[in-house]
Amino acid sequence: MAENNVASAGGSDVKLTKLAECAGCGAKVGAGELAKLLKDIKVQRDPNLLVGFDKSDDAAVYRVTDDVAIVETVDFFPPIADDPYTYGAIAATNALSDVYAMGGEPKVALNVMAVPEDMPSDVVHEILRGGYEKVYEAGASIVGGHSIYDEEPKYGLAVTGFVDPHRMLTNSGARPGDVLVLTKALGVGVITTAEKGGLADPADVAAAERQMMCLNRWARDVIVRHDVHATTDVTGFGLMGHSLEMAQGADVRVVIDAGAPALLAHARDWARLGILPAGMYRNRHFAEASVDAAGVPQDLADLLFCPETSGGLLVSVAADDADSLLADLLADGRVPDARVMGRVEAYDGGPRIRLSYAG
C-alpha cells in the first residue's frame, strides 16, 4: 500500500479519491430512484431466464442446460482507495461478489474502465493489475474489456460465471424460522468518508481495505454446503436496503439485533460525529418507512443504513443448521467475520424490518 494513501506507482503522485465526488459503492444510484428509472420497462419473458433485472437480485441467471446456468453481472465505481492497486483489487472483488451471492463460480471477466486523459500510465497499469490479480485469485480470467476517457476515474468488471440452476441462491428465498448470518463487519462507508476528509486513522483505513479486498469466495464455499435458503451481498444499499429487498422478495419480516453485526474500529465514533456518506441518506430515504428502529441509537441506525463496498454475504439459513454454518465459517481463516444477526418471521403487515437493541 502506498505511503500516506497516495498513489505512487512508478513515481506518479495521484490522490485518486480526490478525483471523485463519491467513493466506491457510495456512488450507487439509490434503490428507490433505481426502481423509478426501471418502471414500465418491458421485461422479456423467457422460461430460461431464471433471474432478471425485475427481481432486484445480485446478478442475472440464464439456464443453458438442465444442469448449467450462466450468472451475469457488472459492477464498477469511482476510487475507494488512493493506492491504485488497492482500488483495482477492491473494485474487482466487489464485482465478483455478485456471482458468489448467487452461489456461482466466476469464470471470465471484462474490464470496464474510465480514466482522465492525463492520468499517468503507471497509475492505470496498477489499477488494472489489482483487478487482474483478484480475478486470478478467484480462479477466473480477464479476457478483454472496454475503456473510455472521463474526468472522473471509474473501474470494475463485467463478470460471467456458472451455477447449477437447482442449487443457485437468490435474495428471495428466506423462510420464516430462518437465522440470519453476516460474514463481514460494517462501517466501510463511514471509514472511507472520514479518510476522504483526512480524519481517519491510517490503521483503520488499512483494516477496511483488507476487508474490502477479501473475496466472498471463501464464505460461498462454506455456505453451499449448508441448508441455506437465501443470500445477498451487502453493498451500496447498506444492510437495511439489502435486508429490505430480501424481506420483500420472500414476503417475510426480518428481525435484526442492531448490536449484533461486527463494526470496523472507530466506525461508530465517526457516525456519532455525523461523518456519514451521502449514500446513507439515500438509503434511509428508500428504506426508513419499512424499518421499525424504535429504541436504536441514531448513530448505530445510521451505520445500518450506510453503503458498504465489497461487503459480506447476508445469509438466511435453516435454524437447525445455523450453528453448524457459523462454526464452519469461523473455522475457515479466510472468512473475515461470521455472526448471527437476526431471524426471519412470517409477515403479518407493518414494517418489513424490525430492529431490536439491548444496549
Side-chain angles (χ1 to χ4, degrees):
M1 191 175 305
E3 186 177 0
N4 296 324
N5 291 319
V6 175
S8 56
S12 297
D13 197 23
V14 179
K15 198 167 180 66
L16 290 175
T17 58
K18 295 298 185 184
L19 302 179
E21 289 188 12
C22 297
C25 287
K28 195 171 182 178
V29 175
E33 187 62 29
L34 188 60
K36 294 176 186 176
L37 294 172
L38 295 173
K39 185 180 180 182
D40 299 328
I41 292 180
K42 184 179 179 181
V43 178
Q44 180 69 32
R45 300 300 175 187
D46 183 332
N48 289 314
L49 182 61
L50 305 181
V51 180
F53 77 82
D54 55 318
K55 302 293 187 181
S56 298
D57 219 317
D58 296 297
V61 181
Y62 191 88
R63 180 171 49 212
V64 180
T65 70
D66 287 344
D67 299 319
V68 177
I70 292 173
V71 185
E72 193 75 26
T73 186
V74 60
D75 210 312
F76 64 101
F77 49 60
I80 188 74
D82 285 314
D83 177 64
Y85 176 90
T86 301
Y87 165 43
I90 291 170
T93 302
N94 184 75
L96 293 162
S97 181
D98 287 340
V99 177
Y100 294 132
M102 309 299 290
E105 184 79 24
K107 289 300 179 183
V108 295
L110 298 169
N111 285 315
V112 179
M113 180 174 240
V115 293
E117 196 165 359
D118 60 352
M119 179 170 279
S121 60
D122 53 351
V123 173
V124 178
H125 172 80
E126 284 298 289
I127 295 171
L128 292 170
R129 188 171 71 89
Y132 273 74
E133 291 195 0
K134 274 297 165 184
V135 171
Y136 295 157
E137 184 183 338
S141 300
I142 292 182
V143 295
H146 186 67
S147 58
I148 63 169
Y149 289 124
D150 190 2
E151 291 183 3
E152 183 178 88
K154 302 171 186 72
Y155 176 66
L157 301 172
V159 186
T160 300
F162 296 103
V163 70
D164 182 338
H166 303 102
R167 297 173 59 83
M168 75 172 184
L169 298 168
T170 71
N171 69 355
S172 59
R175 304 175 188 175
D178 281 359
V179 171
L180 298 173
V181 174
L182 184 62
T183 65
K184 286 185 181 180
L186 302 178
V188 164
V190 174
I191 297 297
T192 55
T193 301
E195 165 64 6
K196 198 172 176 69
L199 301 172
D201 186 318
D204 293 345
V205 176
E209 290 176 350
R210 283 194 300 272
Q211 177 175 280
M212 287 187 282
M213 286 190 286
C214 182
L215 292 173
N216 279 329
R217 171 184 184 176
W218 319 118
R220 186 285 317 267
D221 287 352
V222 174
I223 287 165
V224 295
R225 304 198 303 265
H226 289 271
D227 190 9
V228 169
H229 301 144
T231 305
T232 189
D233 61 340
V234 178
T235 54
F237 299 154
L239 179 62
M240 291 296 92
H242 290 287
S243 296
L244 178 57
E245 288 183 336
M246 181 179 279
Q248 290 173 328
D251 192 23
V252 296
R253 172 182 288 117
V254 298
V255 179
I256 294 172
D257 176 356
L263 301 178
L264 290 169
H266 302 119
R268 193 168 177 185
D269 296 334
W270 293 119
R272 285 194 189 99
L273 294 174
I275 308 297
L276 300 163
M280 191 284 293
Y281 299 97
R282 291 194 295 269
N283 291 341
R284 184 181 284 280
H285 178 74
F286 162 64
E288 188 173 36
S290 299
V291 179
D292 177 2
V296 178
Q298 183 69 48
D299 60 292
L300 185 54
D302 287 344
L303 279 169
L304 302 184
F305 282 101
C306 269
E308 299 293 321
T309 298
S310 192
L313 297 181
L314 175 61
V315 183
S316 183
V317 58
D320 59 4
D321 198 22
D323 288 344
S324 178
L325 170 63
L326 193 64
D328 287 350
L329 288 168
L330 292 171
D332 189 313
R334 298 165 297 185
V335 178
D337 194 83
R339 302 193 188 194
V340 171
M341 48 155 286
R343 65 185 187 277
V344 180
E345 295 182 343
Y347 183 62
D348 56 1
R352 286 286 183 180
I353 300 174
R354 181 167 294 141
L355 299 181
S356 64
Y357 184 65

